[in-house]
Amino acid sequence: MTLSRRQLLTHFATGIGVLAVSGCRGRDLTPLIDALVDLAITRDSLSAIGEAYLSDREGLPEQGASSIEALAERLAIDLDWSVDQTRHELSDRLVRRIRSDFRDSKTVRVRGWLLSETEARWAALVALAPAGREG
C-alpha cells in the first residue's frame, strides 16, 4: 500500500495530536483553568456564550469537549500552555489563536454569532468552571 503525501501528513498530524493529548493527561491543568477564567473580563457574558455553545453541540461526537478537563486539555495544546506562562503571555496566545482560527475558517455558529473554535471552547470552559473559581 502506498500513501499519498496528504495521507502521510494526515497520519503524521494525527499522531502528533495523540501524543500531545496524552502529554496533557495526568498534568494538573488547574492553573490553566484558573488563568483562563481570570482572563474573562465579563464572566457572566462569556459563560452565557459557553452554555449556548455546549447546548448547541450536545451529542456531537466530533466536539468531544463537554467536560472542563477535556476543554482545558484541548486549550492547553492549542495555546501551547506551560505552567510558567505569565497572564500576559497566555492572553497574547489566546488572542493570536482566535485570530488564526478566523483566518483559517475554524469557526462555529452559536445562536447566530460566528465565533472562533478557540473562543467558543474558552467560553465553554468558563461556563463549566465553579462559580468561586477566579485567579
Side-chain angles (χ1 to χ4, degrees):
M1 173 175 105
T2 59
L3 293 173
S4 70
R5 181 174 181 215
R6 177 172 286 171
Q7 289 170 319
L8 184 62
L9 290 173
T10 300
H11 291 305
F12 182 68
T14 303
I16 289 174
V18 169
L19 288 173
V21 169
S22 65
C24 281
R25 294 193 198 284
R27 180 165 64 147
D28 181 18
L29 296 174
T30 303
L32 174 62
I33 294 169
D34 291 343
L36 288 170
V37 168
D38 188 49
L39 288 177
I41 295 169
T42 54
R43 182 172 179 176
D44 291 340
S45 299
L46 195 59
S47 288
I49 293 167
E51 289 169 10
Y53 170 74
L54 290 168
S55 69
D56 286 356
R57 273 145 188 75
E58 196 170 287
L60 294 178
E62 68 274 8
Q63 292 303 320
S66 58
S67 74
I68 194 166
E69 293 81 12
L71 288 162
E73 286 176 7
R74 179 61 190 252
L75 287 165
I77 294 164
D78 290 347
L79 301 173
D80 193 24
W81 176 76
S82 66
V83 74
D84 59 340
Q85 273 180 357
T86 66
R87 174 188 164 97
H88 177 74
E89 289 169 331
L90 180 62
S91 175
D92 186 52
R93 287 179 188 213
L94 183 64
V95 169
R96 281 189 281 136
R97 182 63 187 228
I98 289 169
R99 287 181 181 150
S100 72
D101 282 356
F102 280 111
R103 182 193 65 229
D104 298 338
S105 298
K106 292 181 179 179
T107 58
V108 294
R109 287 221 175 263
V110 178
R111 311 280 165 91
W113 290 76
L114 185 64
L115 304 173
S116 92
E117 290 176 354
T118 301
E119 69 185 325
R121 289 182 185 117
W122 174 39
L125 180 140
V126 170
L128 292 172
R133 188 173 212 148
E134 305 210 21

